[in-house]
Amino acid sequence: MNIPQSLTVEQKDEILFVKINRPEKRNAINDELILGIETVFSNIPEGVKCAIIYGEGKHFSAGLDLSELKERDIVEGLNHSRMWHRALEKVQFGKVPVVAVVHGACVGGGLEIASACHIRVAEQTTFYALPEGQRGIFVGGGASVRLPKLIGMARMTDMMLTGRVITAEEGVLVGLSQYLVSEGSGLEKGIELAKKIASNAGMTNYALMHVLPRIVDSGQSEGLMLESLMATISSSTPEAQGRLRDFLEGRAKKVGE
């Protein structure tokens, strides 16, 4: 894989660690970095069952690298936005679930990357914002589709109309993250979650990544049919049947143990 220096990728057992590595730029995102993310998540190594994406230095990502912005005509601008969409689709609808560990700034394009992941862990230093509205532009990396599903349309509208900054504590309450941890312990929590995710049945993880979002986007009757099909397929796999036998015969942990 042709991985840019702005990303560091390392595999440890069943977990792939993907680090945004531009600390001198507050991990601001340029085209090279977003294309690197597309490359990484298009080529998940064999044996990997979960990925963690996080940032080097004091911030997850302060958003788009405005120093590298250039004037684009309408077609160029459309293609640039669609490039982001294509890259982050590889994260959301890729081969393995992805845990984002965020700290410091999780802003603009950084928040768009985090929202494409399946679980978000936030350290107490985290703050979220969508400054595009104050800069006379509109989000272009998928935020208008993904964020309203996490926090609701009204909250996203507020963030863009007013430039509101949401704290880590507020973020976990409104749905920007699922876990809130102390400063410096985000990666440890991310690894704990990734190990749990990696231990799941492969078909279950696939269903949660690829089918559940489509159920949510469907009408009720279509969604219920998709659910029935997925429930039938998953329960018929040898792995699921073996896990059920383990539970019935007392070899599996009960809920809460």
Side-chain angles (χ1 to χ4, degrees), residues 160-218:
M160 289 198 68
L161 283 177
T162 69
R164 178 175 179 172
V165 175
I166 294 180
T167 66
E169 289 78 9
E170 292 173 320
V172 75
L173 292 174
V174 302
L176 284 171
S177 74
Q178 288 73 53
Y179 298 88
L180 179 61
V181 298
S182 60
E183 181 178 356
S185 62
L187 191 56
E188 179 183 358
K189 183 65 176 180
I191 293 169
E192 174 194 330
L193 295 171
K195 287 180 177 178
K196 289 183 178 180
I197 292 167
S199 71
N200 291 341
M203 183 56 70
T204 298
N205 284 348
Y206 180 90
L208 290 170
M209 293 172 59
H210 292 269
V211 183
L212 180 59
R214 290 169 170 86
I215 290 174
V216 172
D217 286 341
S218 299

Side-chain angles (χ1 to χ4, degrees), residues 8 15-19 41 50-54 97-101 186-187 189-195:
T8 301
I15 302 173
L16 189 70
F17 293 83
V18 181
K19 180 168 65 176
F41 286 95
C50 189
I52 298 174
I53 186 166
Y54 63 109
V98 185
V99 178
V101 175
L187 191 56
K189 183 65 176 180
I191 293 169
E192 174 194 330
L193 295 171
K195 287 180 177 178

Side-chain angles (χ1 to χ4, degrees), residues 26-244:
R26 301 175 82 209
N27 287 333
I29 305 157
N30 56 14
D31 287 359
E32 178 187 68
L33 194 153
I34 201 71
L35 288 169
I37 287 175
E38 180 182 20
T39 297
V40 169
F41 286 95
S42 298
N43 297 277
I44 298 293
E46 288 298 320
V48 170
K49 294 186 177 179
C50 189
I52 298 174
I53 186 166
Y54 63 109
E56 174 68 19
K58 296 182 179 179
H59 303 281
F60 176 73
S61 174
L64 195 65
D65 188 345
L66 297 179
S67 70
E68 297 192 16
L69 274 182
K70 62 179 181 179
E71 290 188 11
R72 298 183 177 92
D73 64 27
I74 291 175
V75 173
E76 289 171 337
L78 180 62
N79 286 334
H80 188 256
S81 173
R82 294 298 287 164
M83 179 264 285
W84 272 69
H85 294 168
R86 187 185 71 232
L88 295 187
E89 286 269 303
K90 296 295 185 180
V91 177
Q92 183 178 6
F93 297 113
K95 186 177 178 182
V96 297
V98 185
V99 178
V101 175
V102 300
H103 72 293
C106 185
V107 170
L111 182 51
E112 290 183 304
I113 291 173
S115 68
C117 300
H118 303 95
I119 292 179
R120 284 156 295 280
V121 176
E123 295 187 5
Q124 287 180 329
T125 59
T126 305
F127 60 92
Y128 310 91
L130 292 171
E132 290 87 346
Q134 309 302 297
R135 294 174 181 151
I137 57 178
F138 195 74
V139 293
S144 65
V145 173
R146 294 187 178 98
L147 276 178
K149 294 176 182 178
L150 297 178
I151 65 174
M153 185 179 73
R155 287 194 180 96
M156 179 176 172
T157 302
D158 179 21
M159 291 176 72
M160 289 198 68
L161 283 177
T162 69
R164 178 175 179 172
V165 175
I166 294 180
T167 66
E169 289 78 9
E170 292 173 320
V172 75
L173 292 174
V174 302
L176 284 171
S177 74
Q178 288 73 53
Y179 298 88
L180 179 61
V181 298
S182 60
E183 181 178 356
S185 62
L187 191 56
E188 179 183 358
K189 183 65 176 180
I191 293 169
E192 174 194 330
L193 295 171
K195 287 180 177 178
K196 289 183 178 180
I197 292 167
S199 71
N200 291 341
M203 183 56 70
T204 298
N205 284 348
Y206 180 90
L208 290 170
M209 293 172 59
H210 292 269
V211 183
L212 180 59
R214 290 169 170 86
I215 290 174
V216 172
D217 286 341
S218 299
Q220 180 164 316
S221 60
E222 294 85 358
L224 291 172
M225 176 58 77
L226 282 171
E227 179 185 85
S228 294
L229 292 171
M230 199 66 248
T232 303
I233 293 168
S234 62
S235 64
S236 66
T237 63
E239 185 174 9
Q241 292 170 1
R243 289 178 181 232
L244 181 58

